Amino acid sequence: MMYPKIPLAQSIIEICQQKGVQHIVISPGSRNAPLTIGFTNNPFFKCYSIADERCAAFFALGIAQQIQKPVAVVCTSGSAVLNYYPAVAEAFYSQIPLVVISADRPQNKIDIGDGQTIRQENVLGNHSLYNANLREDTSAENDNHIQMALHVAVTQKGPVHINAPFEEPLYETVSELQVNPEIIEFITEDEHFSLGNNTKETWNKATKKLVLVGELFPNSVEQKYLDILANDPSVVVLTEKTSNLHHPSFIDQIDTLITPFSEDDFKTFQPKILLTFGGMVVSKRIKAFLRKYKPTHHWHVDTLRAYDTFGALTNHFEVAINPFFKELLEVNSVESNYKSNIAEIWKDRVVKHQAYSKQIPFSDFKVFDFICQNIPANIQLQVSNSSAIRYLQLFDLDKSVQVFCNRGTSGIDGSTSTAIGAALVSDLPTMLITGDISFLYDSNALWNNYIPKNFKIILLNNSGGGIFRILPGHQETETFNTYFETSHQLNASHLAKMYGLDYFEANDEITLQQQYSAFLNQNEKPSILEVFTPEKENNWILLAFFRELK
């Protein structure tokens, strides 16, 4: 086997193999040549070449999102590592194990005018859970830092940074390993969890309990616990599409439910206990409601973190959700009309929603209604941020569809790259729904050789950042159109041609129906369906929807 001659590179590669880090995303460069040579010449590793470092990091994030194991990204020295930062921040807030391995100049070459050199140590420090600043020579201390970084990535579910200085020559190889790092077996004791009687008694006596579920990996909660919650008359369960949690009595269209509420409705809905688990919540309206009408108790369940999102956090239970429910939930429940009252309101919402959807003209709202009704079962659905994920919350979706979105930082950067990385390792066909600004911003995501043939992109092009039209401050001025909405007349047809994707387009309901069918049936090449919607009408159609619900 071929190994890099530099012992430090050998140690990094050997430890990654011993610790089971198999997926390695590499951006071409010279300073990282020892790592590239070592990883690509070892059959244990699955290596990918992604030239754009920002895309590379989100591509790796998508893989890690799906396999729920550490994935490494490897880059050269200088500004390359800075391009990883958006994905690092996303991994930090979404609790995804991303391992950044950056090659560096030796310490004596920093700040002397050497090319492609910056201060790389701790450069990701604000959002990296561990920073392994290695020294140039091999040592037990270096080996311990590398292993600790990988351990932290797994146990604390987040990004870590390994910075490795290499001196030239960089491309020399040897046929035998020169290192034998001592592998540390980290021992983590499973702590027994038990819930105090006071907590159980508080839960059992409360007649208004609201369970709000954020982003979750599919099948995270045992069905028996969902059934108990669903059958408790004192419990209302609100989920989102990214919660991947389903039961006929759960409501997954939060904004549709609560936007028309009056002040009296909000007071009636105000819970005594708010129980939250999962990642970030999309709905701004539920956050505003709970910040104003605070629960007496807010309990958050997570093994690692608890954000005081509503300014009312009273307990953080540091345990996984299933052991928590095992302790908390009993079949017996208190008498309450909390669930039944909301169920009646929800029935009315559904009727008005259906009536409104039938009467509106072609628009973003109409397109999402069509897509959600006609999306294939048993697929992985990746969704970009901004308007796309918010529209998706408003419609029914087949329960077999798994939904993912980069909600850690809610940025538009990297959605396509993440989706392609996720598609590569998923057993399910993958579809991305994205807006035009997000797609154009991450167009380099298509610059790789790993896009599956059945990967599909639905691109809604409304000629700009349409979400700004429904936010406070919208005015039809040159400043708004240029600097907020970012108006444009671009389309994806030339990008599709350049990167070898099949291209379909639709401009109205008839062409959408026709093109959508052809788009779904194309599985020989990845494909894009670009749907053009009216720039000026989308906002009032959406806002009118919420008015019609009252």
Side-chain angles (χ1 to χ4, degrees):
M1 192 182 297
M2 184 188 297
Y3 302 95
K5 187 176 181 180
I6 297 175
L8 177 57
Q10 291 184 16
S11 294
I12 294 171
I13 294 159
E14 185 68 13
I15 292 170
C16 283
Q17 180 173 350
Q18 292 294 326
K19 293 296 182 178
V21 181
Q22 190 173 25
H23 295 270
I24 313 294
V25 182
I26 303 170
S27 292
S30 183
R31 191 60 50 171
N32 59 332
L35 296 170
T36 302
I37 291 168
F39 281 126
T40 59
N41 283 281
N42 186 329
F44 171 80
F45 298 106
K46 296 180 179 178
C47 296
Y48 314 90
S49 176
I50 306 289
D52 184 319
E53 282 87 1
R54 188 176 70 185
C55 295
F58 278 108
F59 178 88
L61 184 86
I63 297 174
Q65 175 201 82
Q66 292 298 304
I67 67 173
Q68 299 194 297
K69 294 179 181 179
V71 174
V73 282
V74 179
C75 69
T76 189
S77 63
S79 61
V81 67
L82 301 180
N83 289 296
Y84 285 162
Y85 213 133
V88 168
E90 178 61 36
F92 179 86
Y93 288 107
S94 287
Q95 299 187 0
I96 295 175
L98 184 68
V99 179
V100 171
I101 307 177
S102 57
D104 198 359
R105 297 297 207 265
Q107 193 65 36
N108 63 0
K109 297 291 179 67
I110 308 299
D111 287 343
I112 65 167
D114 215 29
Q116 224 171 324
T117 306
I118 65 170
R119 301 173 188 179
Q120 289 183 208
E121 292 191 357
N122 304 316
V123 76
L124 307 174
N126 277 346
H127 296 92
S128 174
L129 298 176
Y130 190 87
N131 298 287
N133 296 307
L134 308 182
R135 303 277 70 87
E136 190 177 346
D137 297 326
T138 56
S139 65
E141 183 181 7
N142 272 346
D143 294 346
N144 291 345
H145 275 308
I146 298 165
Q147 294 182 70
M148 181 56 74
L150 300 182
H151 176 68
V152 168
V154 172
T155 57
Q156 296 187 31
K157 300 179 184 176
V160 296
H161 181 200
I162 300 171
N163 191 61
F166 299 130
E167 183 56 282
E168 298 177 2
L170 302 168
Y171 294 88
E172 294 183 353
T173 61
V174 294
S175 59
E176 298 290 337
L177 273 176
Q178 300 166 270
V179 301
N180 185 26
E182 182 180 349
I183 302 301
I184 303 170
E185 296 298 331
F186 295 96
I187 299 174
T188 54
E189 296 182 4
D190 291 332
E191 295 185 11
H192 175 71
F193 174 76
S194 63
L195 207 54
N197 289 331
N198 286 342
T199 302
K200 293 181 182 179
E201 186 176 354
T202 300
W203 174 267
N204 289 331
K205 286 184 176 180
T207 57
K208 296 199 295 183
K209 301 186 278 274
L210 179 63
V211 178
L212 176 62
V213 189
E215 194 172 20
L216 270 187
F217 199 77
N219 305 311
S220 294
V221 184
E222 293 182 31
Q223 186 63 44
K224 61 183 178 182
Y225 301 130
L226 302 182
D227 292 338
I228 293 174
L229 290 171
N231 292 318
D232 189 327
S234 66
V235 174
V236 171
V237 179
L238 300 182
T239 67
E240 298 189 303
K241 297 299 186 292
T242 52
S243 302
N244 291 299
L245 206 64
H246 308 291
H247 195 283
S249 75
F250 296 174
I251 296 173
D252 68 351
Q253 298 167 46
I254 298 174
D255 289 357
T256 302
L257 173 69
I258 71 171
T259 299
F261 275 179
S262 65
E263 186 171 349
D264 287 341
D265 293 330
F266 279 125
K267 288 179 180 178
T268 302
F269 189 45
Q270 183 178 13
K272 181 78 171 179
I273 298 176
L274 170 66
L275 173 62
T276 58
F277 60 95
M280 301 297 187
V281 171
V282 176
S283 173
K284 293 177 67 176
R285 287 180 170 89
I286 195 67
K287 294 174 189 175
F289 159 60
L290 290 168
R291 285 166 182 163
K292 183 176 181 180
Y293 302 90
K294 297 183 188 298
T296 306
H297 307 277
H298 174 200
W299 302 345
H300 187 72
V301 184
D302 187 277
T303 56
L304 297 170
R305 302 182 214 169
Y307 296 117
D308 191 7
T309 305
F310 315 107
L313 186 68
T314 52
N315 288 90
H316 173 203
F317 297 98
E318 297 179 54
V319 65
I321 191 61
N322 287 310
F324 177 80
F325 278 154
K326 182 179 180 181
E327 287 286 308
L328 178 72
L329 297 182
E330 299 173 357
V331 176
N332 297 328
S333 56
V334 68
E335 288 188 14
S336 173
N337 59 3
Y338 190 54
K339 180 191 291 290
S340 59
N341 286 344
I342 293 299
E344 285 300 313
I345 294 171
W346 182 242
K347 283 182 184 178
D348 182 65
R349 298 281 193 271
V350 170
V351 171
K352 290 178 178 176
H353 189 305
Q354 292 172 345
Y356 184 77
S357 298
K358 292 177 182 178
Q359 69 182 22
I360 59 172
F362 191 69
S363 56
D364 285 348
F365 194 101
K366 195 78 168 182
V367 172
F368 270 94
D369 186 28
F370 174 84
I371 291 170
C372 290
Q373 288 187 50
N374 294 279
I375 201 162
N378 299 304
I379 69 165
Q380 174 192 170
L381 183 63
Q382 294 276 338
V383 189
S384 74
N385 275 301
S386 205
S387 293
I389 188 61
R390 297 187 185 282
Y391 269 111
L392 191 73
Q393 304 299 324
L394 304 178
F395 301 93
D396 284 329
L397 199 62
D398 190 285
K399 303 303 183 282
S400 68
V401 176
Q402 299 183 2
V403 182
F404 299 90
C405 179
N406 287 344
R407 290 305 297 176
T409 63
S410 307
I412 65 167
D413 45 351
S415 297
T416 308
S417 297
T418 301
I420 294 171
L424 189 65
V425 295
S426 176
D427 294 331
L428 300 176
T430 301
M431 178 183 290
L432 167 68
I433 300 180
T434 183
D436 49 343
I437 300 298
S438 181
F439 175 80
L440 293 169
Y441 196 83
D442 193 30
S443 60
N444 269 359
L446 304 178
W447 180 19
N448 69 72
N449 298 318
Y450 311 107
I451 307 176
K453 290 182 178 179
N454 61 353
F455 181 72
K456 300 187 181 302
I457 300 172
I458 297 179
L459 167 58
L460 273 80
N461 189 337
N462 53 23
S463 304
I467 193 170
F468 287 100
R469 290 183 166 271
I470 61 172
L471 296 177
H474 166 236
Q475 293 179 331
E476 208 63 44
T477 64
E478 183 178 347
T479 295
F480 174 83
N481 293 336
T482 302
Y483 296 101
F484 289 91
E485 187 183 29
T486 323
S487 297
H488 66 86
Q489 298 300 318
L490 303 174
N491 64 69
S493 60
H494 295 291
L495 281 170
K497 183 177 181 180
M498 181 167 71
Y499 291 118
L501 279 68
D502 263 10
Y503 178 79
F504 304 83
E505 66 173 279
N507 300 279
D508 52 37
E509 287 186 62
I510 295 175
T511 55
L512 176 59
Q513 293 172 8
Q514 294 170 342
Q515 295 295 295
Y516 187 73
S517 178
F519 166 73
L520 288 184
N521 291 328
Q522 167 57 279
N523 290 306
E524 296 303 314
K525 294 168 64 177
S527 52
I528 297 174
L529 170 59
E530 186 166 20
V531 186
F532 297 91
T533 62
E535 176 187 8
K536 300 290 195 295
E537 285 79 5
N538 286 312
N539 62 313
W540 69 257
I541 291 172
L542 178 61
L543 295 173
F545 165 67
F546 292 115
R547 290 195 297 270
E548 288 293 318
L549 293 174
K550 294 183 179 179

